[in-house]
Amino acid sequence: MTGKAVPLYQAKAEFFRMLGHPVRIRVLELLQDSPRPVRELLADLAIEPSSLSQQLAVLRRYGIVVSRRESSTVIYEIASSDVAELLRVARRILTDLISGQNDLLTELREHESSLG
């Protein structure tokens, strides 16, 4: 059975949908600097182990994170430094957007006070 290739824009949309969960984003933020054992992720996230396991499984399935076992400890890390770079770029974009909104709000308030 031959399948039709998915257009790149659709594959990108799926990728961003996969990232579109707060726990997954937070896990990736925690893994940006170095690999971390599951127990540390659980402590930082303060969620149920089953919830973390589910979100890690999604990230693993998409190849965003990889895991390894060291005796009884499972350690996760980001599979590609490009993912960490994507998070940094997203932060810069959000910072610029919020800064632009604050500038607009300041301008609106100044205009409103000059009318009053």
Side-chain angles (χ1 to χ4, degrees), residues 78-88:
I78 292 178
S80 165
S81 61
D82 289 341
V83 173
E85 179 61 21
L86 177 63
L87 293 172
R88 284 190 287 276

Side-chain angles (χ1 to χ4, degrees), residues 17-64:
R17 245 190 307 280
M18 178 273 304
L19 289 178
H21 191 286
V23 171
R24 290 182 211 141
I25 294 295
R26 188 64 185 129
V27 164
L28 294 174
E29 288 175 344
L30 292 169
L31 295 176
Q32 275 185 126
D33 298 324
S34 64
R36 311 257 316 250
V38 171
R39 64 179 148 60
E40 282 184 22
L41 294 173
L42 276 171
D44 287 336
L45 292 166
I47 62 171
E48 292 296 318
S50 60
S51 295
L52 178 58
S53 178
Q54 182 182 27
Q55 301 310 324
L56 287 169
V58 171
L59 292 171
R60 243 189 355 260
R61 188 168 46 252
Y62 277 85
I64 303 298

Side-chain angles (χ1 to χ4, degrees), residues 52-114:
L52 178 58
S53 178
Q54 182 182 27
Q55 301 310 324
L56 287 169
V58 171
L59 292 171
R60 243 189 355 260
R61 188 168 46 252
Y62 277 85
I64 303 298
V65 298
V66 293
S67 64
R68 69 179 185 278
R69 183 173 289 278
E70 291 180 4
S71 66
S72 64
T73 302
V74 179
I75 298 173
Y76 279 86
E77 64 184 301
I78 292 178
S80 165
S81 61
D82 289 341
V83 173
E85 179 61 21
L86 177 63
L87 293 172
R88 284 190 287 276
V89 170
R91 180 182 289 262
R92 282 196 306 269
I93 291 168
L94 287 171
T95 300
D96 290 348
L97 288 173
I98 291 168
S99 175
Q101 290 171 351
N102 285 337
D103 293 346
L104 177 60
L105 183 59
T106 300
E107 188 178 320
L108 288 170
R109 285 185 176 147
E110 288 170 358
H111 180 71
E112 191 173 284
S113 66
S114 70

